[in-house]
Amino acid sequence: MLQPRICGLSLPWHRQCLHSLARRQYATGVAEVATTSAFEAPPPIREDDLSNMMRTYKPRTPGVRHLKRPINDHLWKGRAHLPLTYPRKGHGIGGRNNSGRVMVRHRGGGHKRRIRVVDFSRMEAGKHTVERIEHDPGRSAHIALLNHDATQEKSYIVAAEGMRAGDVVQSYRKGIPADLLKSMGGVMDPAMIAAKTAWRGNCLPLHMIPPGTLIYNIGLRPGAHGQLCRSAGTYGQLVGSSDAQRQVTDGTTPKSKNIYVNVKLQSGEVRKIHKQACATIGVASNANYNRRQLGKAGRSRWLGIRPTVRGVAMNASDHPHGGGRGKSKGNVIPISIWGRTPVSSYSSTNTRVARQGEG
């Protein structure tokens, strides 16, 4: 039997300053929240969260000596919501395409899985209650099962760090609700709207989010689903409006209007995104995913990862680094098995200057 131990880690800065880390007991079911208004208070702050700790085990066997896992005791212990899943099968498990050719090496085997249908668009308005937080074998971040309070429809979303069962989240992509406007006296005050909507787990257009807010599941175009910052622990930061402007006419006098906002990613890159695109407040959950240690080779095989053979260990006919006597690649530039230079030497984005009149 594995005997767990707790290994402490320093808390990252973005999780120290985030308003979403708070005090609440762990739960696997829906907890009742006593509120008198739909816009009374944001989700609770959790200070006793152990998600910044790593769990180690007493080395009963060699396979658990170096095993380290994030502490996620709040995760649901049962099965997923089956209507929102479908089986993962076919050639894609082994990295093949529709004609059977290997497109991705070192893939194959692994435990049987089911794909979770995750809602990245968040177009459905109204209050949604978080029923539980689940593990998704198809992604590094956790997912949250939501229940629409009015229609009782269920959906999966990428969970925010600190989100727990019983929290209430909303989507404001279709506009500001009438009851929220009524509570503010019918006055469209951007600061007051941000104070009542920019809470952890809520989905908003970028122009409704205050500058400096940490966001994830960021869309790139108006009406599109979230595409950026969806893996565990990722986030972007809204740094303000963009300088890119275009001329608009209201029928009498032309004027300039900002249509983009700047979002700074963890890599340091600043992306110019349309202000009508969506984003979710917070940081993607399971931030300690990159600190885990599998402990043994068999655990990688359970995940569907096959071994990787070094090029210098191959024959000359199998790899440009193969052949020769001893551990030598032949005094050549490191290249891939197809003769290309490493991918890291290329940029993943188009560095051309934006065309005139774009947007």
Side-chain angles (χ1 to χ4, degrees):
M1 180 178 178
L2 300 181
Q3 295 186 2
R5 300 173 177 176
I6 294 179
C7 176
L9 293 174
S10 60
L11 197 63
W13 71 269
H14 67 274
R15 300 177 64 189
Q16 294 176 359
C17 63
L18 188 63
H19 186 63
S20 61
L21 293 181
R23 176 167 303 181
R24 191 189 183 96
Q25 296 297 328
Y26 293 124
T28 56
V30 177
E32 295 184 0
V33 181
T35 57
T36 58
S37 174
F39 308 98
E40 182 177 351
I45 300 177
R46 301 177 175 94
E47 298 176 353
D48 56 350
D49 198 348
L50 296 179
S51 58
N52 62 319
M53 312 287 285
M54 299 295 291
R55 176 170 287 151
T56 59
Y57 300 88
K58 190 172 183 178
R60 298 286 186 179
T61 61
V64 299
R65 179 178 295 275
H66 301 289
L67 178 62
K68 289 184 179 181
R69 293 170 172 170
I71 299 178
N72 294 316
D73 295 334
H74 61 281
L75 294 182
W76 176 250
K77 304 299 189 299
R79 298 190 66 183
H81 186 62
L82 290 182
L84 294 177
T85 64
Y86 60 93
R88 177 175 178 262
K89 58 176 64 175
H91 289 259
I93 298 178
R96 270 74 173 175
N97 62 0
N98 57 358
S99 63
R101 293 181 179 272
V102 177
M103 295 289 101
V104 182
R105 300 189 302 159
H106 319 131
R107 297 283 182 88
H111 198 279
K112 184 168 60 174
R113 301 180 183 179
R114 293 185 69 87
I115 304 296
R116 275 68 169 172
V117 180
V118 180
D119 181 17
F120 296 110
S121 299
R122 304 281 303 274
M123 296 299 296
E124 189 68 26
K127 294 198 301 182
H128 293 73
T129 303
V130 179
E131 286 199 358
R132 61 199 187 211
I133 308 296
E134 297 183 8
H135 164 74
D136 187 356
R139 68 187 69 253
S140 57
H142 298 151
I143 57 177
L145 181 63
L146 303 184
N147 183 39
H148 196 285
D149 292 357
T151 62
Q152 301 301 318
E153 293 184 0
K154 298 184 183 299
S155 61
Y156 278 125
I157 65 168
V158 178
E161 185 71 19
M163 183 181 291
R164 295 293 183 269
D167 291 351
V168 178
V169 297
Q170 296 194 51
S171 175
Y172 298 95
R173 297 196 65 179
K174 292 185 178 180
I176 302 174
D179 52 353
L180 177 57
L181 286 177
K182 184 178 179 180
S183 65
M184 295 188 301
V187 180
M188 293 286 293
D189 186 0
M192 184 62 67
I193 293 176
K196 292 181 176 293
T197 59
W199 300 345
R200 179 189 62 235
N202 286 353
C203 184
L204 297 88
L206 288 175
H207 68 88
M208 291 179 58
I209 302 176
T213 305
L214 300 184
I215 54 178
Y216 73 102
N217 191 30
I218 307 168
L220 296 177
R221 293 176 300 276
H225 62 278
Q227 295 177 256
L228 301 179
C229 303
R230 302 194 312 197
S231 59
T234 56
Y235 61 92
Q237 187 175 20
L238 191 67
V239 295
S241 301
S242 174
D243 294 334
Q245 298 180 349
R246 66 174 180 180
Q247 296 293 326
V248 296
T249 305
D250 57 1
T252 57
T253 305
K255 59 183 179 179
S256 297
K257 182 179 180 181
N258 289 328
I259 61 172
Y260 295 103
V261 296
N262 292 326
V263 177
K264 184 177 181 180
L265 305 179
Q266 288 176 288
S267 61
E269 178 186 4
V270 178
R271 296 290 295 266
K272 184 179 68 175
I273 304 176
H274 199 282
K275 68 176 185 178
Q276 294 294 341
C278 68
T280 305
I281 306 298
V283 178
S285 55
N286 199 17
N288 281 326
Y289 176 83
N290 61 339
R291 295 189 175 96
R292 65 171 186 164
Q293 294 182 13
L294 298 182
K296 61 180 183 180
R299 204 173 299 275
S300 293
R301 303 305 298 266
W302 298 345
L303 298 176
I305 304 173
R306 301 185 69 242
T308 301
V309 180
R310 294 170 296 119
V312 295
M314 299 183 185
N315 296 324
S317 59
D318 297 326
H319 198 280
H321 296 169
R325 297 182 179 181
K327 298 179 180 180
S328 173
K329 65 179 186 301
N331 196 23
V332 296
I333 299 176
I335 55 179
S336 66
I337 190 173
W338 303 281
R340 307 190 191 101
T341 54
V343 180
S344 60
S345 61
Y346 295 98
S347 175
S348 59
T349 57
N350 191 354
T351 57
R352 295 183 301 172
V353 179
R355 296 185 295 271
Q356 294 293 332
E358 184 181 2

